[in-house]
Amino acid sequence: MEAPSTTNTLSNTTSSEQPPPVTEPPPSSLATPSHARGRGRGRGNPQSRGTTRGRGDRKKRHDVGRSEWARKSDDRRARNDAAQESVKRQRLGDGTPVRKPVYAVDFSKEEIEGEERRPKRKVAVMIGYSGSGYKGMQLNDKEKTIEGDLFQAFVAAGAVSKANADDPKKSALVRCARTDKGVHAAGNVISMKLIIEDPDIVKKINDNLSPQIRVWGIVRTNSSFSAYQMCDSRIYEYLIPSHCFLPPHPESYLGKKLVELAEEAGDLEGYRQRQEEVATFWDETEEQYIKPFLETLDPSIRPLVLNALYHNAPAEEEAGKSLETGTSSVQDHPATRDQKTTEAVQTEQAADPGLPSPTQEQEENAIIQPSTRSNRDTQTPEPLKPTQAPPNPTEPNLQQPNPSPYSPFESDIQDPALKPPSAVETALRTLRHALISAKNSYRLPPIRFSRIRSVLALYTGTHPFHNYTIGKTARDPSAKRIIKSFTLAPAPIIINDTEWLSLTVHGQSFMMHQIRKMVSMAALVVRSGCPEDRVLDSYGATRMVIPKTPGLGLLLERPVFESYNARGRGEGRAEVGFAGWEDVMREFKQREIYERVWREEERDRT
C-alpha cells in the first residue's frame, strides 16, 4: 500500500473515520537524509507521516505542558528532609542507630517545641582561625573541623535554633574558602541564616569558642548572598623561613648534580653568578660549627661519629634520584678528615625527625627543606659545646622529661625504661642542634631578595597551572587561573630570632595545592640557581613533578567582595569585608598564627 500523503493524514485524523493503522517504516527509511526528515517528529519523512499524533494529542510529561513543567519548582527542602529521615531510619547490623555527625547538637522533642520561634536573617560572618589541630575548615562527620566548632558555638549562643541544631544545612551554611588541614585564616567569610536579635551575639559566640577561632563580626546581607558565589578573589599569605632559599651543599648529591647539568647546558658561568652571594656559605659554616665541635670529641668516638654521619643516606641524594632516570650513588666520600667535614652539614638530614618519608613527592620535598641548615657570616652565633645548654623548649608550658641536655625536641625524649643514649648519639644530637642554630641565624642577602621577587612576578597573569595541582592536564580549561599579583613583603618577619619571609598572592581562585607548589617552585629556582624562565616552562604541556611546601605556613589573608559591595552601596547595604577589625586581626595573627607556626616548625622541623 502506498504511504498516505500529508493531506490525507490530516483529513483522516480530523474526520470520524479511524486513522490508518500504524506500521513500522521499511528499512529503507533509515537511510533517508536528515535534511529530508526535518527537525520535528516525522516531519519531512514521507514514510513516517501518519504515525504521529497531532499537536493537541501529544503526550505531556505528568499531564502538564512544557512551560508549566519548566515553571514547576522542585521542593529541595522536602527532598533533603526525606533523605535525612531515611538515614535516621537506618540501623547498623547490631541494631544500633547510625552515628550522628560530631558537630550535631541533639535536643529533646520537648525542648524543641518549647523554644520560642525567632526569625532568621541571611548574614555574612567574618571569622579568623588557626588551623593547627583541626582537620581543615569544611564540616566532617567524624573529625574536628573549624566549621564544626563554629556551628556548635552558634547553637550554644542561640544564633541557631534547637530545631536546626542537628544539621547546618538547615541554616544554609556556605563557606567562602575551604582551607585544608593545618591551614590558617586571618580572615574568612561564611554565609548562613542566623538569629541575630541579641546585640551581644558576637560576644556570646566567641565565649563558646577556643582562642584559636574568633568571630570578627556579623553583617546583614540580601537573601541571595552566597559567600562562595559572590567572592571575586582571595588573598593568601605564605610564611617561609629565609634559609629555605639557601643552595644545597656542594658535596651533596643535588649540589654535584646541579653543576653537572649546568656544564651540559653550557651555563656553568651563569649558574655561578646566580649563586655568587652564597658561594662561601658552606665553607664558613663548617669552619665555625663542624670542625670546632669535632675537636671537642673524645678521639676514641670521633671515627664512630664520622662513620654514623657518612653512612646515613642523605635525603638530598634520595630526592635527586627521583628527578632523573636510572640509579645514582654518592659513595665517593673524600678520604681526608677535612674533606669529610665538608659533608658533615648533611647529618641533620639523616637525624632530623621532621624530614618527609621517602615517597616520590616527599623525596622531592626534601630538596627544599632539609639541607638548608646554615648561618650568615654577618650574624654568627658561637658553636655549641658539649657542656652548653640548648635553646629553650618551643613549648614553655610543657613539662617533658629530657635526659639529653642538647635536645628540646620530642624525638629526642627518652623513655626512662629504655637504654640511655650512647656518647655517639649524644654527639650527633649536639651537632644537629648546632646546625639548627646556624640555620636560624641566617639572613637573606638583598640580591637574593630581589631574585625571589623576580621569580614570583612570573606567576602574574592568566596561565595554565596544571603542573601545580593534581588531576589536571595542559588542555584542561579549568587549569587556567588568574593571578593578579604575587609579591614579597619588603620587611622580613623576625620570630624568635629566625627570619621568615611573607609571600602574598592575590588570585581569583586556586586549585588544590596550587599555592604551596608555586612557593615550592620559586624556592627551587632560586635555591638551585637555575634560570628564572624555568617557571614559564611549567606552563607548557610537559609534565613536571613539583613538590609542595608544608601547609603550616599557609594562611588565608582575606577574601574580596568588590562586585557585591559595589552593588550594595547604591542600595544602602553594609559592605562585606574586614574594615574596622584590622587591629584585632593583626594581634590575632601574631599570637595565634605567627607564634604557632614558629613553635610547630621548631618542634616538628617540617
Side-chain angles (χ1 to χ4, degrees):
M1 179 182 295
E2 186 177 353
S5 64
T6 305
T7 304
N8 292 337
T9 302
L10 294 176
S11 61
N12 287 339
T13 55
T14 55
S15 64
S16 59
E17 297 180 3
Q18 294 294 330
V22 177
T23 59
E24 291 291 332
S28 60
S29 66
L30 299 178
T32 304
S34 59
H35 62 81
R37 293 198 298 269
R39 299 180 61 183
R41 292 188 177 182
R43 299 173 189 172
N45 186 353
Q47 299 183 9
S48 64
R49 295 170 185 170
T51 63
T52 59
R53 300 174 180 174
R55 188 174 184 85
D57 294 333
R58 182 179 298 163
K59 185 178 181 181
K60 300 177 181 179
R61 294 181 291 181
H62 301 284
D63 297 327
V64 295
R66 291 183 177 180
S67 300
E68 185 178 355
W69 175 269
R71 290 193 302 267
K72 185 179 179 181
S73 60
D74 186 14
D75 193 350
R76 297 182 180 180
R77 181 180 295 275
R79 185 180 62 191
N80 291 338
D81 290 343
Q84 292 171 9
E85 286 297 324
S86 176
V87 172
K88 291 179 181 179
R89 289 193 299 268
Q90 293 178 4
R91 293 293 182 268
L92 300 178
D94 56 358
T96 58
V98 176
R99 181 182 177 183
K100 290 189 175 182
V102 294
Y103 52 79
V105 183
D106 282 332
F107 291 97
S108 64
K109 185 177 180 181
E110 292 75 15
E111 289 177 313
I112 295 175
E113 294 177 349
E115 184 183 29
E116 179 185 359
R117 296 287 298 272
R118 293 177 294 171
K120 298 183 294 184
R121 307 298 182 190
K122 193 65 172 290
V123 297
V125 184
M126 273 63 71
I127 62 174
Y129 53 85
S130 170
S132 300
Y134 288 89
K135 298 292 185 178
M137 169 71 174
Q138 190 174 4
L139 289 167
N140 190 305
D141 291 352
K142 300 179 181 179
E143 302 287 355
K144 182 181 179 68
T145 64
I146 300 294
E147 282 184 345
D149 278 16
L150 275 170
F151 183 73
Q152 291 177 339
F154 292 150
V155 175
V160 173
S161 65
K162 295 178 180 179
N164 297 335
D166 61 337
D167 188 3
K169 292 181 181 179
K170 296 180 180 179
S171 299
L173 188 151
V174 176
R175 71 200 64 83
C176 172
R178 180 188 65 186
T179 54
D180 297 331
K181 172 185 174 182
V183 178
H184 319 289
N188 201 350
V189 177
I190 60 175
S191 59
M192 62 188 304
K193 296 178 181 178
L194 292 180
I195 302 169
I196 56 173
E197 296 175 341
D198 190 344
D200 297 328
I201 189 64
V202 174
K203 181 180 182 302
K204 291 182 178 180
I205 294 173
N206 284 328
D207 289 342
N208 289 278
L209 290 170
S210 72
Q212 282 186 241
I213 308 175
R214 293 290 90 183
V215 172
W216 307 126
I218 299 176
V219 175
R220 280 286 304 273
T221 64
N222 58 18
S223 58
S224 62
F225 178 77
S226 169
Y228 179 77
Q229 297 290 341
M230 302 297 182
C231 181
D232 296 309
S233 58
R234 298 159 180 85
I235 301 175
Y236 280 85
E237 180 183 13
Y238 193 90
L239 296 175
I240 182 171
S242 296
H243 60 74
C244 292
F245 294 91
L246 290 173
H249 192 280
E251 293 298 324
S252 67
Y253 174 84
L254 183 57
K256 294 178 179 179
K257 191 65 179 178
L258 290 173
V259 175
E260 178 185 335
L261 293 174
E263 290 178 344
E264 293 179 0
D267 189 36
L268 183 59
E269 187 63 29
Y271 169 78
R272 289 174 176 170
Q273 290 179 357
R274 291 187 289 268
Q275 302 285 42
E276 184 178 2
E277 66 273 14
V278 289
T280 61
F281 185 84
W282 289 106
D283 293 336
E284 295 171 356
T285 299
E286 291 171 359
E287 289 293 332
Q288 298 170 11
Y289 287 91
I290 305 301
K291 291 182 179 180
F293 173 74
L294 291 176
E295 291 173 358
T296 63
L297 296 180
D298 189 303
S300 61
I301 69 169
R302 197 174 301 164
L304 298 177
V305 173
L306 293 175
N307 183 69
L309 295 180
Y310 301 134
H311 285 78
N312 286 318
E316 277 191 349
E317 176 185 344
E318 298 301 322
K321 289 180 182 178
S322 65
L323 300 177
E324 64 171 4
T325 56
T327 60
S328 60
S329 176
V330 188
Q331 301 296 335
D332 52 342
H333 295 297
T336 64
R337 175 186 159 190
D338 289 340
Q339 289 175 316
K340 284 187 176 181
T341 55
T342 318
E343 295 184 1
V345 201
Q346 301 176 26
T347 58
E348 189 179 56
Q349 301 173 6
D352 195 334
L355 292 182
S357 57
T359 60
Q360 180 179 3
E361 189 176 55
Q362 289 174 328
E363 282 174 348
E364 295 169 355
N365 197 21
I367 298 175
I368 297 181
Q369 296 288 344
S371 68
T372 56
R373 321 297 194 194
S374 70
N375 69 303
R376 188 191 183 197
D377 53 349
T378 58
Q379 184 174 352
T380 305
E382 295 182 2
L384 290 177
K385 304 297 183 181
T387 58
Q388 204 174 338
N392 292 331
T394 57
E395 296 287 349
N397 59 336
L398 239 58
Q399 299 292 333
Q400 295 179 336
N402 191 3
S404 171
Y406 309 104
S407 177
F409 302 108
E410 294 178 357
S411 60
D412 296 329
I413 297 173
Q414 299 292 329
D415 191 323
L418 299 178
K419 182 180 178 180
S422 65
V424 174
E425 293 172 339
T426 302
L428 290 173
R429 292 175 186 173
T430 306
L431 179 58
R432 181 183 64 179
H433 292 302
L435 294 174
I436 290 175
S437 179
K439 174 202 69 173
N440 291 343
S441 66
Y442 172 71
R443 299 295 181 264
L444 200 71
I447 297 178
R448 221 160 182 78
F449 209 87
S450 300
R451 188 154 189 255
I452 296 174
R453 277 206 181 102
S454 177
V455 173
L456 295 178
L458 297 176
Y459 288 124
T460 57
T462 304
H463 303 288
F465 288 94
H466 55 282
N467 278 320
Y468 294 85
T469 186
I470 56 176
K472 301 286 186 181
T473 63
R475 296 183 178 182
D476 193 337
S478 64
K480 285 192 175 182
R481 299 296 161 122
I482 301 174
I483 304 299
K484 297 186 175 182
S485 65
F486 206 149
T487 59
L488 173 62
I493 303 172
I494 306 299
I495 306 176
N496 291 4
D497 297 329
T498 299
E499 184 180 78
W500 293 71
L501 304 180
S502 174
L503 314 180
T504 303
V505 55
H506 184 187
Q508 189 177 48
S509 60
F510 299 93
M511 297 175 288
M512 180 181 291
H513 305 323
Q514 180 181 342
I515 298 177
R516 294 164 63 185
K517 285 176 175 283
M518 291 167 71
V519 174
S520 174
M521 185 66 170
L524 282 172
V525 168
V526 175
R527 144 169 224 263
S528 301
C530 67
E532 296 177 5
D533 57 8
R534 186 63 172 161
V535 174
L536 302 179
D537 295 340
S538 66
Y539 302 146
T542 303
R543 179 63 180 165
M544 291 186 184
V545 180
I546 303 175
K548 61 179 182 289
T549 53
L552 176 65
L554 181 62
L555 68 102
L556 172 63
E557 183 67 26
R558 67 184 184 277
V560 181
F561 297 87
E562 293 177 353
S563 301
Y564 175 82
N565 290 335
R567 293 193 301 266
R569 293 187 192 102
E571 301 173 5
R573 291 196 306 264
E575 293 189 1
V576 176
F578 298 89
W581 296 295
E582 292 91 348
D583 293 338
V584 291
M585 290 175 64
R586 191 179 302 110
E587 187 272 334
F588 176 82
K589 283 172 62 177
Q590 182 66 34
R591 184 187 72 251
E592 294 294 337
I593 298 180
Y594 291 161
E595 293 292 339
R596 193 179 296 273
V597 166
W598 159 257
R599 291 197 301 267
E600 294 185 19
E601 166 66 17
E602 183 72 7
R603 183 190 65 216
D604 301 332
R605 293 291 156 185
T606 57

